[in-house]
Amino acid sequence: MTQVIDNIEKVIIGKTDEIKLVLSAFLAGGHVLLEDVPGTGKTMLAKALARSFDFKFSRIQFTPDLLPSELTGINFYNPKTGEFTFRQGSLFANIVLADEINRATPRTQSGLLESMEEHQISVDGTTYTLENPYFVIATQNPIETQGTFPLPEAQLDRFLLQLNLGYPEKLESVKILKNNIMDTPLQSLKSVCSMADFLQMKEKVSKVFIHDDVFTYIIELTEATRANDAVALGISTRGAQALAKMAQAYASIEDRNYVTPTDIQYLLPYVFGHRIMLKGGLKNRKSAVLSLLADVIAQVTTPTESWKG
């Protein structure tokens, strides 16, 4: 996994933590929503990830006129054979980049739901199973709202985590400028991980130990979001499961075979933040959610790590 991280960092500079989070979601079998202003490297990160793995990649530019059938596929009449033939849509890939996902209509956005949750696509009564792995990495701009369609709660819940990349530090910005003026790093990026390598990583993740105290801690944090007076809709059981899976993958990337309470606290805003619905329609929702989750962590007793010996 270190080799994959190093490979992506040839293109995405100074974002090691964010790269680890995206890779953790990939290994956990989830999907990622990157939300940030233009020019912070969202699309570049998705492309660098795809180039690092020897998998089939598909990029979809979401626009208001994009049709659901372009995602899922369509049955068309073939006059030569006199029969209907199925033509696969853009979702038939291992890694799918859904660029500017909030620019498509809700009808088109919903075309992703079945594939993200069940790894299958249904067209005209026939179900097509997608290949494993299947990973959607979507991007959206939180600032520009004209001509966009906010993702509904059901769609947001399909993403294992949501994160922002943010602007790089000054020295990192200088390095990015030099790299991109002298060369095009993305074009020269090579695959460093085969399917066999990926399956070994997945196997390692599945063996990461989670103590019962940590499971209990996750549930207590989940219940605390539901009991908070500022919350209209707290975290569901699916959200708790997502946090546990994400913690396993993250611990594996950190070269540990067990999950710690600190892992849970670190990952909680990324996994829970986009799933919470606040009361009152606050304008600055993001800062309010982060403040609320910090309060949740503070009020729930952190378990000790006595099982480590």
Side-chain angles (χ1 to χ4, degrees):
M1 185 52 71
T2 302
Q3 194 174 9
V4 175
I5 295 172
D6 292 342
N7 201 50
I8 296 175
E9 285 188 318
K10 293 177 183 177
V11 178
I12 306 298
I13 297 170
K15 299 296 178 184
T16 304
D17 292 341
E18 288 78 5
I19 293 171
K20 287 182 178 180
L21 288 169
V22 172
L23 287 175
S24 296
F26 190 19
L27 289 172
H31 310 283
V32 173
L33 177 61
L34 298 177
E35 183 181 74
D36 217 324
V37 296
T40 52
K42 302 185 299 296
T43 303
M44 193 73 73
L45 172 57
K47 287 182 175 180
L49 172 74
R51 284 180 176 269
S52 297
F53 289 89
D54 189 19
F55 298 150
K56 184 179 179 182
F57 172 66
S58 174
R59 175 182 176 174
I60 309 168
Q61 188 64 51
F62 278 66
T63 56
D65 60 347
L66 184 70
L67 299 175
S69 59
E70 295 180 66
L71 302 181
T72 59
I74 190 172
N75 287 308
F76 72 98
Y77 181 73
N78 189 336
K80 292 183 178 180
T81 62
E83 299 177 345
F84 281 91
T85 304
F86 178 68
R87 178 184 294 153
Q88 293 183 351
S90 303
L91 295 182
F92 284 82
N94 297 116
I95 300 176
V96 176
L97 167 58
D99 212 5
E100 297 188 276
I101 188 174
N102 58 335
R103 290 197 172 278
T105 63
R107 182 166 175 253
T108 301
Q109 290 174 6
S110 66
L112 278 167
L113 289 174
E114 183 182 14
S115 69
M116 291 175 69
E117 180 65 20
E118 302 175 50
H119 290 197
Q120 65 181 33
I121 290 174
S122 298
V123 179
D124 296 336
T126 302
T127 299
Y128 301 90
T129 302
L130 296 170
E131 295 182 13
N132 282 320
Y134 180 69
F135 180 55
V136 174
I137 179 166
T139 70
Q140 67 176 12
N141 175 5
I143 305 300
E144 192 174 339
T145 58
Q146 186 173 1
T148 62
F149 303 87
L151 298 179
E153 280 69 25
Q155 184 80 60
L156 286 172
D157 197 40
R158 295 304 194 277
F159 289 100
L160 181 58
L161 78 158
Q162 176 181 332
L163 70 145
N164 305 75
L165 293 181
Y167 291 115
E169 300 294 333
K170 182 167 69 173
L171 293 179
E172 294 163 352
S173 296
V174 171
K175 188 175 181 181
I176 292 171
L177 286 178
K178 290 175 63 177
N179 284 357
N180 285 274
I181 287 177
M182 297 167 58
D183 195 7
T184 52
L186 184 64
Q187 298 302 319
S188 59
L189 210 62
K190 304 295 183 183
S191 169
V192 295
C193 185
S194 66
M195 178 64 77
D197 296 329
F198 179 78
L199 293 176
Q200 286 182 350
M201 294 175 192
K202 291 272 289 184
E203 179 69 18
K204 183 180 176 183
V205 168
S206 68
K207 294 179 179 178
V208 172
F209 173 71
I210 303 181
H211 193 272
D212 284 350
D213 288 349
V214 177
F215 277 125
T216 302
Y217 185 46
I218 293 173
I219 296 303
E220 288 176 346
L221 290 169
T222 302
E223 292 176 341
T225 67
R226 301 170 189 166
N228 195 292
D229 292 337
V231 175
L233 182 64
I235 300 301
S236 66
T237 303
R238 185 193 312 207
Q241 292 172 339
L243 181 56
K245 290 179 180 179
M246 184 69 184
Q248 277 187 304
Y250 183 76
S252 179
I253 284 181
E254 291 294 311
D255 203 25
R256 279 186 280 104
N257 61 357
Y258 58 89
V259 172
T260 69
T262 304
D263 292 332
I264 302 301
Q265 293 172 358
Y266 172 67
L267 297 170
L268 184 136
Y270 301 108
V271 180
F272 281 8
H274 60 291
R275 290 181 162 91
I276 287 182
M277 185 185 299
L278 297 177
K279 294 178 181 177
L282 295 176
K283 290 184 179 180
N284 197 353
R285 180 189 178 279
K286 181 181 177 182
S287 61
V289 167
L290 292 177
S291 176
L292 183 146
L293 291 175
D295 291 342
V296 164
I297 291 174
Q299 74 185 51
V300 176
T301 303
T302 303
T304 62
E305 300 180 31
S306 57
W307 66 85
K308 290 166 59 177

